[in-house]
């Protein structure tokens, strides 16, 4: 995947680290080799361009810039103001919402983005309605182990027996618990999320109850599909949209918060000073490079291939007799439910790693095992599509996974 120029850059970075900290350079080299000698099916990862790596590893890390553009608490911020402003402009352009949404590009991660979004519109103890974690929701959507679950009163909607979002359950719970916020979006959900339908439910609830329930979409996973038109957009529909920049967007590790203009002040305050200190301007520069890359026509084609490869791979598992949660996929990931094989997600993950295939175990709807062991594995096609995998490659990997699962099942 790496060109000669990329390899020259990587060699220069390695030499610079080695000159100062050889032990660190040795570990970095090992990780480079691991990444390049294994198949990566982790749905939340990707391989970034050298331009993204270079911006993330640049001298912009030297600058402190607490506050917002033109309202900083340190001097010397005029230049980083330019990069943060450009980054904001580009991300609004990527999602086509330059006039209708505000964006804060400072969150250090998706979790930080979600926490700041909650801080902007909730008070401790407020009720939030989000997707059940075992059905696909993220840790930051109210896990009791996460501060979201400790600070706020999360109520969860589920999926149906077919594995798709149970919109009737969502509607019922919305009326029962009158939440301040509804969160849609997930970590391990392979079907299209009907943002417009959820908006209509929230609007109907608000009209009837007099509540002002807000709607937030966490599109950490599907952001790239939204950009490329392979998933309906939450923009124009949701009051707040959060995402990560390092999954399907294929960029620097970090988070973004978009909000309707009237929430801009509250969101900015919730990021700084609410939940973060100085922004990472080197990462903001890298996020800006990511946005430029997403605006290129090649990016749309990349996402098209991610989605096609995913559908083909999921279908191959179905043909081999596996249970794919929700019966297939509309996006960049799918979940294999291994319950019937007797093999745990943990055992599958460990065996596959021995065989050079990297993925993660995941709870499945109606999970019977612990969250540590799980009955499923999550499979994503974004990273290897970046490295040029096509349908035949993914089909071959599906058969290698099948061999490993059969091997484990034979030992049960
Ligand atoms: N939201 C969703 C839906 C996610 O899947 C993730 C990460 O996997 C996050 C938020 C958190 O992102 P981060 O790991 O950058 O904190």
């Amino acid at each position: 995947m790496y060109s000669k120029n990329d390899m020259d850059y990587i060699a220069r970075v390695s030499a610079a680290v080695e000159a100062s900290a050889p032990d660190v350079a040795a570990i970095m080299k090992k990780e480079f080799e691991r990444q390049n000698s294994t198949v990566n099916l982790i749905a939340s990862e990707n391989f970034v361009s050298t331009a993204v790596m270079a911006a993330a590893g640049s001298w912009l890390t030297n600058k402190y810039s607490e506050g917002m553009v033109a309202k900083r608490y340190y001097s010397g911020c005029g230049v980083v103001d330019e990069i943060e402003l450009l980054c904001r402009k580009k991300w609004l352009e990527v999602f086509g919402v330059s006039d209708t949404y505000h964006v804060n590009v400072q969150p250090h991660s998706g979790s930080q983005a979600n926490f700041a979004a909650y801080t902007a519109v909730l008070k401790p103890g407020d009720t939030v309605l989000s997707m059940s974690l075992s059905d696909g929701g993220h840790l930051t959507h109210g896990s009791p182990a996460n501060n979201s679950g400790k600070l706020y009163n999360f109520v969860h909607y589920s999926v149906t027996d077919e594995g798709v979002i149970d919109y009737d359950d969502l509607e019922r719970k919305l009326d029962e618990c009158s939440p301040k916020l509804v969160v849609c979006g997930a970590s391990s959900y392979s079907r299209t999320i009907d943002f417009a339908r959820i908006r209509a439910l929230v609007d109907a609830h608000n009209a009837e109850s007099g509540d002002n329930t807000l709607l937030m979409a966490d599109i950490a996973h599907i952001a790239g599909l939204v950009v490329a038109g392979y998933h309906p957009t939450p923009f124009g529909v949701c009051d707040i949209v959060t995402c990560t920049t390092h999954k399907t967007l294929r960029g620097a590790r970090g988070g973004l918060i978009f909000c309707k203009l009237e929430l801009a002040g509250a969101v900015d305050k919730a990021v700084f000073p609410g939940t973060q200190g100085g922004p990472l301007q080197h990462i903001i520069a890298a996020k800006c490079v990511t946005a430029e890359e997403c605006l290129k026509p090649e990016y749309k084609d990349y996402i098209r291939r991610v989605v096609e490869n995913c559908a083909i791979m999921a279908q191959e598992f179905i043909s081999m007799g596996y249970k794919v949660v929700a019966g297939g996929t509309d996006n960049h990931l799918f979940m294999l439910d291994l319950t019937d094989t007797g093999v745990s997600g943990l055992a599958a993950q460990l065996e596959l790693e021995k065989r050079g295939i990297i993925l993660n175990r995941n709870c499945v709807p109606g999970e019977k095992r612990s969250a540590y062991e799980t009955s499923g594995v999550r499979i994503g096609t974004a990273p290897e599509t970046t490295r040029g995998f096509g349908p035949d490659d993914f089909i071959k990997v599906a058969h290698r996974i099948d061999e490993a699962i059969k091997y484990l099942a034979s030992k049960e």
Side-chain angles (χ1 to χ4, degrees):
M1 163 194 148
Y2 292 113
S3 68
K4 175 159 183 331
N5 278 352
D6 293 335
M7 287 309 292
D8 287 349
Y9 171 77
I10 288 161
R12 281 204 306 282
V13 168
S14 305
V17 176
E18 194 166 356
S20 181
D23 45 352
V24 177
I27 297 170
M28 285 173 64
K29 180 164 183 279
K30 262 201 303 195
E31 173 58 11
F32 185 74
E33 285 162 3
R34 186 200 67 76
Q35 288 183 11
N36 290 294
S37 59
T38 49
V39 173
N40 185 350
L41 298 178
I42 296 195
S44 48
E45 291 187 3
N46 217 318
F47 295 99
V48 304
S49 68
T50 340
V52 168
M53 275 195 273
S58 70
W59 49 94
L60 272 72
T61 193
N62 297 335
K63 190 69 201 102
Y64 236 113
S65 54
E66 278 179 357
M68 296 302 295
V69 172
K71 275 187 247 149
R72 305 288 191 185
Y73 288 79
Y74 291 79
S75 61
C77 291
V79 179
V80 292
D81 273 3
E82 280 181 45
I83 196 73
E84 191 167 332
L85 214 51
L86 185 65
C87 188
R88 278 165 43 185
K89 180 172 176 284
K90 290 286 166 189
W91 277 110
L92 292 173
E93 206 179 316
V94 166
F95 286 104
V97 291
S98 301
D99 299 326
T100 45
Y101 279 77
H102 167 74
V103 62
N104 187 305
V105 297
Q106 295 186 359
H108 303 327
S109 70
S111 300
Q112 294 281 104
N114 284 349
F115 194 51
Y118 298 153
T119 306
V121 296
L122 300 172
K123 287 201 267 320
D126 278 350
T127 297
V128 185
L129 180 60
S130 71
M131 189 162 178
S132 150
L133 271 55
S134 63
D135 291 355
H138 185 252
L139 194 70
T140 55
H141 301 172
S143 158
N146 184 263
N147 267 347
S148 56
K150 292 186 175 137
L151 279 176
Y152 308 109
N153 171 37
F154 269 82
V155 176
H156 297 295
Y157 55 88
S158 311
V159 294
T160 63
D161 292 343
E162 287 73 44
V164 296
I165 291 173
D166 188 340
Y167 294 92
D168 295 336
D169 186 41
L170 196 159
E171 182 177 16
R172 206 169 30 250
K173 298 219 166 111
L174 186 55
D175 292 333
E176 271 167 21
C177 74
S178 278
K180 282 268 171 357
L181 181 71
V182 172
V183 178
C184 46
S187 282
S188 50
Y189 183 68
S190 64
R191 290 303 190 185
T192 298
I193 300 169
D194 193 342
F195 296 123
R197 183 165 174 189
I198 300 175
R199 172 85 262 169
L201 294 176
V202 170
D203 285 348
H205 167 81
N206 284 345
E208 205 160 297
S209 63
D211 285 351
N212 182 27
T213 300
L214 296 174
L215 180 57
M216 163 174 153
D218 174 353
I219 59 166
H221 267 270
I222 54 169
L225 280 71
V226 170
V227 171
Y230 285 86
H231 192 288
T233 182
F235 289 97
V237 176
C238 297
D239 302 291
I240 299 178
V241 180
T242 59
C243 71
T244 55
T245 40
H246 47 270
K247 299 184 172 84
T248 50
L249 289 175
R250 203 166 52 175
R253 191 160 288 280
L256 302 171
I257 308 175
F258 296 85
C259 61
K260 293 261 179 79
L261 300 177
E262 61 270 22
L263 293 172
V267 163
D268 286 349
K269 270 200 211 117
V271 175
F272 176 84
T275 53
Q276 288 189 177
L280 311 176
Q281 290 296 346
H282 53 305
I283 298 299
I284 290 178
K287 285 176 185 170
C288 194
V289 174
T290 306
E292 303 264 16
E293 291 180 356
C294 287
L295 287 164
K296 297 197 166 114
E298 304 89 274
Y299 180 73
K300 277 203 173 121
D301 186 56
Y302 160 67
I303 293 293
R304 177 186 62 74
R305 286 182 285 118
V306 168
V307 173
E308 280 174 15
N309 288 336
C310 199
I312 287 166
M313 195 182 191
Q315 190 49 52
E316 192 66 18
F317 277 106
I318 292 168
S319 307
M320 288 191 285
Y322 282 87
K323 185 171 173 201
V324 171
V325 174
T329 177
D330 301 322
N331 58 27
H332 64 297
L333 66 81
F334 61 91
M335 302 273 302
L336 281 188
D337 183 341
L338 300 174
T339 307
D340 296 345
T341 68
V343 175
S344 71
L346 176 63
Q349 178 185 315
L350 294 175
E351 179 61 26
L352 286 164
E353 181 163 1
K354 283 190 212 150
R355 297 173 183 228
I357 296 174
I358 308 296
L359 46 63
N360 68 286
R361 63 189 183 280
N362 222 104
C363 289
V364 293
E367 183 59 70
K368 303 264 177 336
R369 295 183 193 256
S370 71
Y372 185 77
E373 211 182 14
T374 80
S375 304
V377 290
R378 187 180 66 161
I379 294 178
T381 52
E384 288 305 342
T385 301
T386 293
R387 292 207 283 203
F389 264 39
D392 291 348
D393 303 299
F394 282 109
I395 287 171
K396 273 189 207 137
V397 176
H399 286 272
R400 283 174 61 194
I401 294 172
D402 173 51
E403 274 165 30
I405 307 272
K406 286 207 175 104
Y407 163 76
L408 290 171
S410 73
K411 293 204 312 179
E412 285 293 309

